Amino acid sequence: MQQPNETVSAEIYEPLISARLLRRTMAVVLLIAILTIILNIGGRWYGERMAAGGYNVDESLKTITIAGDRMTFPANTIRFESQRAGGSSDRLDLYVVWPELAGYSLANREQFNNSEKSGNLIFLSLMPKTMQLDMSARLAPIYSKLTTPGMASSIDGLEALEFTEDSRYVDEILYVGAREDSKPFVVRCLKEEKLPSGSRSCMRDINIGQNLSVTYRFSNGLLPQWQQLDRAIYNFIEKAMLPGTAQSPA
């Protein structure tokens, strides 16, 4: 019988986990960890963007000039991204929540995103003044000629006037509130049967600053607070005016 060859060279055995394989494994684990961190941060950022639904939570002040009136507003109160850059403009659109008059935030996003919860949302449009008379000043020379005698109103302090059939405002009601220390409060509101869901059904405009007209729209559910609302809107715009901008009487 042939005897085993004891002179055969010893085989070279490598360990089951080599140093090279260990280095590659550690590199893969490190890469996965980095990707996980990136996805986690990116996921939170994207989730917040999705929750914002195109709105802006930035509260930094933006300076806007309209017809010589310089103002600053938080970015999250400005409705359109194109207007958030600041600078000179012929129009600025804002939205705020009553009564804080605060812009969009993750805490109040339901009031911006859900029409059923948006009753306290107010829209404002700021533009150069095109008429010398604002809505209050138009009451005697214009609206009084387009309306019938006052109706009973269930809202304290407001008289309801109905527009005549030949008026272009026939689908609206004019509400007038007397004020001892300033011009009367005058606002036009759509009749209830004409209201679309979640609408800003009431509209009022005021002149302020040097050449600025501010139109604000709100739900008729806020009409009982008309005195506080009108004063707050005026103060909100006046506070935004930078020094040197002349003010108009309320």
Side-chain angles (χ1 to χ4, degrees):
M1 175 181 295
Q2 185 177 359
Q3 298 295 324
N5 187 355
E6 297 181 359
T7 62
V8 175
S9 301
E11 295 183 8
I12 301 176
Y13 295 99
E14 294 187 355
L16 293 177
I17 301 179
S18 66
R20 180 183 299 175
L21 180 58
L22 185 60
R23 286 194 298 270
R24 289 179 178 177
T25 301
M26 292 179 63
V28 170
V29 171
L30 181 61
L31 179 60
I32 292 174
I34 294 173
L35 289 175
T36 300
I37 294 172
I38 293 174
L39 289 174
N40 189 32
I41 295 174
R44 286 201 301 267
W45 176 85
Y46 183 71
E48 291 179 359
R49 295 277 296 184
M50 289 294 289
Y55 297 106
N56 192 304
V57 297
D58 180 13
E59 296 182 0
S60 63
L61 294 177
K62 305 297 180 181
T63 301
I64 297 96
T65 302
I66 300 177
D69 288 301
R70 297 177 63 244
M71 301 155 285
T72 60
F73 293 100
N76 66 337
T77 66
I78 301 175
R79 288 180 63 188
F80 303 116
E81 184 177 358
S82 60
Q83 298 177 344
R84 294 174 189 148
S88 297
S89 178
D90 57 2
R91 179 185 178 108
L92 180 66
D93 295 281
L94 308 173
Y95 43 18
V96 292
V97 172
W98 175 260
E100 301 89 346
L101 298 186
Y104 178 88
S105 69
L106 294 180
N108 66 20
R109 63 182 180 271
E110 282 294 312
Q111 298 187 66
F112 287 81
N113 294 323
N114 190 334
S115 62
E116 296 180 357
K117 299 181 180 180
S118 64
N120 287 345
L121 194 61
I122 301 172
F123 292 167
L124 301 95
S125 297
L126 287 65
M127 295 172 286
K129 183 168 56 180
T130 57
M131 293 187 294
Q132 193 63 30
L133 304 179
D134 61 14
M135 190 170 283
S136 291
R138 296 197 298 271
L139 176 61
I142 299 176
Y143 291 135
S144 63
K145 297 178 174 61
L146 300 176
T147 54
T148 59
M151 304 176 297
S153 173
S154 60
I155 303 171
D156 290 343
L158 289 181
E159 179 186 15
L161 302 176
E162 191 162 12
F163 286 98
T164 57
E165 291 294 328
D166 58 349
S167 167
R168 65 173 180 166
Y169 307 118
V170 66
D171 292 330
E172 303 178 17
I173 296 291
L174 189 75
Y175 290 97
V176 179
R179 296 185 289 196
E180 294 181 358
D181 57 345
S182 61
K183 297 181 292 184
F185 172 84
V186 179
V187 63
R188 300 198 327 260
C189 298
L190 286 171
K191 294 179 178 178
E192 290 191 12
E193 64 269 20
K194 304 292 182 180
L195 296 181
S197 176
S199 67
R200 308 307 102 195
S201 53
C202 296
M203 182 184 74
R204 169 168 166 78
D205 65 67
I206 57 176
N207 289 342
I208 190 171
Q210 299 178 31
N211 302 292
L212 194 65
S213 175
V214 179
T215 298
Y216 69 92
R217 297 174 173 83
F218 59 95
S219 167
N220 62 2
L222 296 180
L223 275 176
Q225 304 177 64
W226 63 272
Q227 297 192 64
Q228 303 97 308
L229 177 64
D230 198 58
R231 188 181 305 114
I233 292 294
Y234 184 89
N235 290 339
F236 175 70
I237 302 298
E238 186 180 48
K239 183 179 178 181
M241 295 283 184
L242 292 175
T245 300
Q247 305 301 313
S248 298

